[in-house]
């Protein structure tokens, strides 16, 4: 047990719990719980998006991929960054003008509300649960390393603490924890980067040479050698990361927390710049760990340099902090990393709870006849239920790399949510049947191929060979979803189809001008 690090960690948790208590006094309605009442500014929301998106996969996963794979890790960083300009120019403004709480609000705007809400809620919950696995695995390994307790108890403790954040504080607490965490994480990353450069007398070429010398692939690690060995698999991963962002419900939900479309665009602008810088820092720190950690055998299991590192495959950056800054820097990075996970898990839980309470319960089951007190009660019960499921998933997937797991969540988001969301906003000929058919095909094909892929079929189920040879199905499942949406919509001659198409002009006016946004409730 690292006493100094634990004290810093405990102090940070106490501060965030204080924020949660403060936020609880400002969470009086469903709107406050889901979207902070729409009172977050563009700059604040941009920083909160950074906090939401810079998850355990970003901090722990990408740095550990850079540590183990070298240059190949850049595909995660570059492709995840490239999706944001698309969101700025195609999605953010329309999303804010058409939506209220969830992605279902946009998809069901002119389509059949009951059926589209059911599908969108199910697909959003699927993405949320896959993404939750990432956070719980990272949190469990981090707390296990910090406190020296069993992984099982670590995951349970994280899950219970996360429920407190969401159930008590809602979106207000989640937003401010994300903002504070983003600032501290960027600050810690810059400090670590400067210390790593100082270790090599600010000579980057010496750092890179040491990393290559310590890596199993040698000089080959400076170029694509593993993740891009199969072009189809690499391209499918890239497509997942670029387009999957727009299908992540907890990220898209953030655009409902700002007062207008201008603030939504500003959110993306702020988030894009900060995340671009952070991705560069994270990849650099992974290479730094590769260059420096072999000089410290104590960070490896049984002291065997080149073998697995202590605490699991996602922990190299934590050991780098200890090597460069001692227990103080390790404690700071551990506290920020834990806050990262709690904030992202809180956002995911809110997104999942909104799909259950707002879409399925209030809109579908109760036909929008729900009192405010009943809505808040269902919100909190749904949050607790998702928290329990997150604990179970964290225990089942404990040995998986978190950056790899998040790519699977992106695959499903890009295959199920993104095609339906984009077409509902831009294609006037979209029909309810087309949206449901395409979305279901994208979701089912992506899920089936993920299960049959090496990631699950071999590494989880321990079969000898995979049925589907690639880890990421998006190159197949996402185009297939678009094709099915178009074909079924064009063949649909039902009365409902005519009604769907007739509603597009009014939707487009609302999406472009926000006229009626204060009076329309859907």
């Amino acid at each position: 047990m690292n006493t100094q690090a634990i004290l810093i960690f405990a102090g940070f948790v106490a501060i965030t719990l204080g924020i949660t208590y403060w936020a609880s006094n400002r969470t009086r309605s469903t709107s406050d719980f889901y979207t902070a009442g729409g009172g977050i500014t563009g700059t604040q929301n941009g920083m909160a998006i950074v906090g939401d998106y810079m998850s355990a996969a970003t901090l722990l996963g990408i740095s550990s991929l850079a540590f183990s794979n070298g240059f190949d890790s850049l595909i995660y960083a570059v492709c995840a960054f490239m999706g944001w300009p698309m969101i700025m120019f195609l999605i953010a403004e329309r999303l804010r003008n058409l939506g209220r709480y969830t992605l279902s609000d946009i998809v069901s705007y002119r389509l059949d509300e009951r059926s589209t809400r059911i599908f969108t809620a199910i697909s959003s919950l699927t993405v949320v649960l896959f993404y939750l696995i990432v956070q719980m695995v990272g949190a469990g390994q981090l707390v296990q390393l910090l406190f020296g307790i069993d992984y099982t108890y670590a995951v349970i403790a994280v899950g219970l603490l996360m429920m407190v954040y969401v159930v008590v504080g809602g979106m207000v607490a989640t937003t401010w924890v994300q903002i504070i965490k983003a600032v501290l994480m960027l600050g810690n990353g810059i400090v670590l980067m400067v210390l790593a450069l100082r270790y090599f007398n600010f000579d980057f070429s010496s750092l890179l040479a040491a990393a290559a010398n310590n890596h199993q692939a040698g000089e080959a690690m400076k170029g694509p050698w593993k993740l891009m060995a199969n072009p189809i698999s690499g391209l499918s991963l890239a497509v997942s990361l670029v387009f999957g962002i727009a299908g992540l419900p907890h990220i898209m939900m953030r655009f409902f927390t700002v007062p207008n479309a201008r603030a939504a665009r500003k959110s993306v602008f702020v988030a894009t710049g900060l995340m671009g810088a952070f991705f560069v820092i994270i990849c650099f720190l992974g290479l730094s760990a590769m260059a420096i950690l072999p000089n410290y055998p104590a960070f490896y299991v049984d002291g065997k340099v080149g073998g697995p590192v202590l605490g699991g495959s996602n922990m190299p950056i934590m050991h780098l902090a200890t090597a460069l800054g001692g227990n103080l820097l390790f404690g700071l990075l551990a506290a920020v990393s834990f806050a990262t996970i709690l904030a992202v898990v809180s956002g995911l839980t809110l997104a999942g709870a909104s799909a259950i309470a707002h879409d399925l319960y209030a809109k579908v089951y109760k036909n929008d006849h729900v009192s405010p007190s009943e809505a808040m009660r269902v919100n909190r019960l749904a949050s607790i239920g998702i928290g329990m499921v997150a604990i179970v998933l964290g225990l089942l997937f404990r040995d998986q790399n978190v950056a790899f797991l998040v790519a699977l969540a992106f695959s499903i988001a890009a295959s199920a949510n993104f095609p339906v969301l984009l077409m509902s906003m831009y294609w006037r000929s979209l029909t309810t049947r087309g949206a449901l058919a395409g979305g279901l095909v994208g979701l089912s094909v992506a899920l089936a191929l993920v299960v049959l892929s090496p990631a699950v079929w071999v590494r989880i189920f321990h079969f000898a060979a995979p049925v589907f040879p690639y880890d990421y199905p998006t190159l197949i499942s996402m185009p297939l979803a678009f094709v099915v949406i178009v074909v079924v919509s064009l063949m649909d001659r039902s009365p409902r189809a005519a009604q769907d198409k007739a509603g597009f002009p009014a939707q487009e006016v609302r999406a472009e001008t926000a006229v009626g946004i204060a009076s329309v409730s859907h």
Side-chain angles (χ1 to χ4, degrees), residues 40-65:
I40 306 299
T41 68
T43 300
Q44 291 171 347
N45 195 48
M47 296 177 69
I49 289 174
V50 173
D52 222 341
Y53 194 63
M54 292 191 314
S55 64
T58 308
L59 178 65
L60 303 178
I62 293 181
S63 62
S64 66
L65 278 175

Side-chain angles (χ1 to χ4, degrees), residues 16-209:
T16 54
L17 285 175
I19 294 171
T20 302
Y21 175 76
W22 165 80
S24 67
N25 297 321
R26 290 159 175 77
T27 304
R28 301 182 180 89
S29 66
T30 303
S31 176
D32 294 334
F33 187 82
Y34 288 143
T35 62
I40 306 299
T41 68
T43 300
Q44 291 171 347
N45 195 48
M47 296 177 69
I49 289 174
V50 173
D52 222 341
Y53 194 63
M54 292 191 314
S55 64
T58 308
L59 178 65
L60 303 178
I62 293 181
S63 62
S64 66
L65 278 175
F67 174 75
S68 58
N69 292 343
F71 177 88
D72 273 4
S73 62
L74 285 175
I75 188 174
Y76 280 86
V78 172
C79 293
F81 174 77
M82 286 174 62
W84 286 100
M86 173 192 67
I87 292 175
M88 177 184 286
F89 295 112
L90 293 181
I91 292 177
E93 181 174 349
R94 293 192 174 214
L95 199 73
R96 175 62 189 86
N97 288 342
L98 293 174
R100 187 180 181 189
Y101 296 144
T102 67
L103 293 182
S104 299
D105 292 335
I106 290 92
V107 177
S108 65
Y109 194 92
R110 63 185 170 96
L111 305 181
D112 177 67
E113 184 170 20
R114 183 180 181 84
S115 56
T116 53
R117 280 191 184 276
I118 291 174
F119 163 73
T120 311
I122 292 173
S123 63
S124 295
L125 280 170
T126 304
V127 174
V128 164
L129 291 177
F130 264 85
Y131 215 98
L132 274 173
I133 296 172
V134 178
Q135 311 310 319
M136 298 306 290
V137 170
Q141 292 184 353
L142 182 63
V143 174
Q144 180 185 28
L145 178 67
L146 184 62
F147 288 92
I149 63 175
D150 184 81
Y151 176 86
T152 300
Y153 299 120
V155 168
I156 293 173
V158 171
L160 294 176
L161 188 57
M162 170 267 294
M163 292 181 207
V164 173
Y165 279 80
V166 177
V167 172
V168 176
M171 181 59 84
V172 178
T174 300
T175 297
W176 282 103
V177 170
Q178 287 164 340
I179 291 172
I180 293 171
K181 179 216 52 178
V183 172
L184 291 176
M185 185 181 290
L186 283 166
N188 273 269
I190 292 171
V191 169
L192 261 179
M193 182 175 67
V194 171
L195 290 175
L197 283 171
R198 192 181 71 169
Y199 190 93
F200 290 95
N201 296 318
F202 295 93
D203 184 354
F204 177 70
S205 60
S206 296
L207 186 152
L208 196 60

Side-chain angles (χ1 to χ4, degrees), residues 231-237 239-240 415 472-480:
I232 296 177
S233 182
L235 181 59
S236 191
L237 169 61
V239 171
S240 301
S415 303
Y472 310 100
T474 320
L475 201 59
I476 296 174
S477 54
M478 190 182 82
L480 186 60

Side-chain angles (χ1 to χ4, degrees), residues 184-451:
L184 291 176
M185 185 181 290
L186 283 166
N188 273 269
I190 292 171
V191 169
L192 261 179
M193 182 175 67
V194 171
L195 290 175
L197 283 171
R198 192 181 71 169
Y199 190 93
F200 290 95
N201 296 318
F202 295 93
D203 184 354
F204 177 70
S205 60
S206 296
L207 186 152
L208 196 60
N213 184 60
N214 293 331
H215 196 269
Q216 57 177 321
E219 291 294 322
M221 75 90 192
K222 297 179 181 179
W225 68 282
K226 188 175 182 181
L227 292 177
M228 296 301 293
N230 187 311
I232 296 177
S233 182
L235 181 59
S236 191
L237 169 61
V239 171
S240 301
L241 295 172
V242 171
F243 297 104
I245 299 172
L248 296 178
H250 69 296
I251 297 293
M252 296 299 101
M253 192 176 176
R254 291 229 56 91
F255 293 110
F256 304 137
T257 67
V258 293
N260 50 51
R262 180 181 180 182
R265 292 193 301 271
K266 186 176 182 180
S267 299
V268 185
F269 179 79
V270 172
T272 303
L274 293 177
M275 281 187 292
F278 189 73
F279 277 130
V280 172
I281 293 171
I282 285 298
C283 289
F284 176 85
L285 293 180
L287 292 176
S288 300
M290 188 193 306
I292 295 171
L293 290 192
N295 298 325
Y296 299 86
F299 294 139
Y300 293 83
V301 175
D302 297 327
K304 297 179 180 178
V305 174
V309 296
L310 289 174
S313 61
N314 300 298
M315 292 296 112
I317 192 173
M318 306 306 301
H319 297 309
L320 178 67
T322 306
L324 296 176
N327 288 340
L328 177 62
L329 190 55
F330 172 81
L332 287 171
L333 190 60
V336 174
S337 301
F338 189 69
T340 296
I341 293 165
L342 281 178
V344 175
V345 167
S346 299
L348 286 165
T349 304
L350 275 171
S354 67
I356 295 172
H358 174 65
D359 295 326
L360 296 180
Y361 183 81
K363 293 291 187 179
V364 175
Y365 180 67
K366 286 287 192 175
N367 199 25
D368 217 13
H369 298 300
V370 181
S371 66
S373 60
E374 183 182 7
M376 289 299 293
R377 184 173 65 253
V378 175
N379 292 337
R380 292 188 164 104
L381 288 174
S383 299
I384 292 172
I386 292 174
M388 300 300 291
V389 173
I391 291 172
V392 174
L393 293 174
L395 296 175
L396 290 176
F397 287 81
R398 62 178 296 174
D399 295 322
Q400 292 292 309
N401 177 274
V402 291
F404 169 76
L405 287 172
V406 82
L408 296 183
F410 273 59
S411 296
I412 297 172
S415 303
N417 288 346
F418 172 68
V420 175
L421 178 66
L422 189 70
M423 298 296 268
S424 67
M425 290 194 294
Y426 282 98
W427 193 39
R428 68 174 59 246
S429 297
L430 177 71
T431 67
T432 299
R433 290 181 181 176
L436 291 177
L440 286 171
V441 166
L443 176 62
S444 57
V445 170
L447 282 174
L449 294 183
V450 164
V451 171

